[in-house]
Amino acid sequence: MRKKQVMAMALSAAMAAGVLGGTGIMAAAEDTVTLTFPVWDLASTPYIQDVVDGFEAENPNIKINIVDIAAADYVTKLTTMLNGGSECDIVY
């Protein structure tokens, strides 16, 4: 249970920061924002999907794109994503 609470708080903070545009202005309430969230082996961390589902239910204008990365490839793929290989909005 503690993992879920910590994860929920971290995800909420990351999402709040993620809706800020490059200009520092919050997205309009009717705009849909999609955030990319790379996850270490989703099968071994099933609570993440529950947290994302709960967050999306409370924030219908924010969608989370979970990128499931195999544990063996996580560090390499995340490093590539963070260095501009592709978009990465949330990291925990």
Side-chain angles (χ1 to χ4, degrees):
M1 186 62 166
R2 175 94 172 122
K3 275 186 177 180
K4 283 185 182 181
Q5 291 170 334
V6 171
M7 179 65 188
M9 290 185 327
L11 191 55
S12 293
M15 310 264 181
V19 296
L20 296 173
T23 61
I25 300 172
M26 292 291 282
E30 67 276 357
D31 292 344
T32 298
V33 176
T34 301
L35 302 175
T36 301
F37 182 21
V39 175
W40 173 296
D41 190 17
L42 191 56
S44 68
T45 54
Y47 60 88
I48 291 174
Q49 186 65 58
D50 293 338
V51 171
V52 168
D53 290 345
F55 181 87
E56 287 180 338
E58 291 182 18
N59 301 279
N61 64 320
I62 302 175
K63 301 299 174 201
I64 308 301
N65 176 32
I66 295 177
V67 178
D68 188 13
I69 303 173
D73 300 327
Y74 185 77
V75 173
T76 301
K77 180 136 183 169
L78 182 63
T79 301
T80 301
M81 292 175 83
L82 291 171
N83 284 308
S86 65
E87 202 168 292
C88 177
D89 299 303
I90 305 165
V91 178
Y92 77 101

